[in-house]
Amino acid sequence: MSKHDLDPSDVAELERRKRASLGQLLLRSARLLDERAVARVARGGAPGVRRAHTALMPYIDLEGTRLTDLAERARVTKQAVGQLVEELEAMGVVERTPDPDDRRAKRVRFTPHGIKALLHGLGVLQELEEELTRSLGEKQMASLKKGLTALLAALEAPEPPEVPEPPAPDEARPGRR
């Protein structure tokens, strides 16, 4: 199916809904911010860093994290995480160390170089935030942060349990059909 086979009104409706979707706005904003940050980090001397690497880093605990836990947290396969960890190891950002709780397992943790790289990356994000604050204005940026903080808290809260629908009147009385 080519784009030409699509109903133009469906395409217009799809685009309208995407522009109106909070989820789409958040995803696109995060992607664009991440792309800018990765590009600046690469220009600053770390050309091998990719968005896939930066997406994994928040899930690595300072004391180390097992590969299986990383995969679960990042919601990707263990093989994908293994490949990213190998690439980050080659860059000197992470290392695998024995897991003190399980001799058979390894933990992935940041190296001293990796901690410096994280600090540099967070500095780049701060620069981008300052630029965006100049563009949006202090008041709008403060409002955005406040709203996103509240949104994050709401999304991190456990979902309420689903309330089962009451049975239909005929099903409520045993023996009736």
Side-chain angles (χ1 to χ4, degrees):
M1 176 188 273
S2 73
K3 188 175 179 178
H4 303 290
D5 297 334
L6 300 175
D7 182 333
S9 63
D10 287 343
V11 172
E13 179 65 9
L14 176 63
E15 290 302 320
R16 184 192 68 72
R17 287 188 189 189
K18 284 171 56 176
R19 283 191 305 275
S21 167
L22 173 65
Q24 287 287 314
L25 290 170
L26 290 170
L27 290 169
R28 287 182 62 209
S29 295
R31 178 182 53 82
L32 291 169
L33 183 65
D34 196 39
E35 285 175 358
R36 285 185 185 190
V38 168
R40 287 188 187 190
V41 167
R43 285 194 304 267
V49 174
R50 298 182 294 122
R51 288 187 60 231
H53 299 134
T54 63
L56 185 64
M57 289 180 188
Y59 301 113
I60 302 172
D61 299 323
L62 289 179
E63 65 276 3
T65 308
R66 289 183 185 178
L67 210 60
T68 53
D69 293 334
L70 274 177
E72 185 179 311
R73 291 176 184 180
R75 299 189 192 279
V76 295
T77 65
K78 188 177 171 187
Q79 292 79 11
V81 168
Q83 178 64 40
L84 292 170
V85 166
E86 284 179 24
E87 292 169 9
L88 289 169
E89 276 182 306
M91 291 182 227
V93 173
V94 299
E95 63 185 356
R96 294 179 209 220
T97 61
D99 186 329
D101 300 328
D102 183 350
R103 290 182 161 194
R104 298 166 297 165
K106 297 277 188 190
R107 288 192 182 184
V108 177
R109 71 175 185 189
F110 292 106
T111 63
H113 171 72
I115 296 293
K116 287 186 184 342
L118 282 176
L119 290 170
H120 175 70
L122 290 169
V124 168
L125 287 173
Q126 181 63 40
E127 289 171 12
L128 286 166
E129 186 177 319
E130 290 167 3
E131 290 171 19
L132 290 168
T133 300
R134 285 192 294 276
S135 177
L136 298 174
E138 294 274 344
K139 187 175 179 180
Q140 190 168 3
M141 184 58 94
S143 178
L144 177 61
K145 279 185 170 182
K146 184 178 178 182
L148 288 173
T149 300
L151 175 65
L152 184 59
L155 291 170
E156 287 178 335
E159 286 194 58
E162 286 190 35
V163 178
E165 290 188 32
D170 285 347
E171 295 173 10
R173 291 184 229 139
R176 287 203 102 191
R177 289 234 176 218

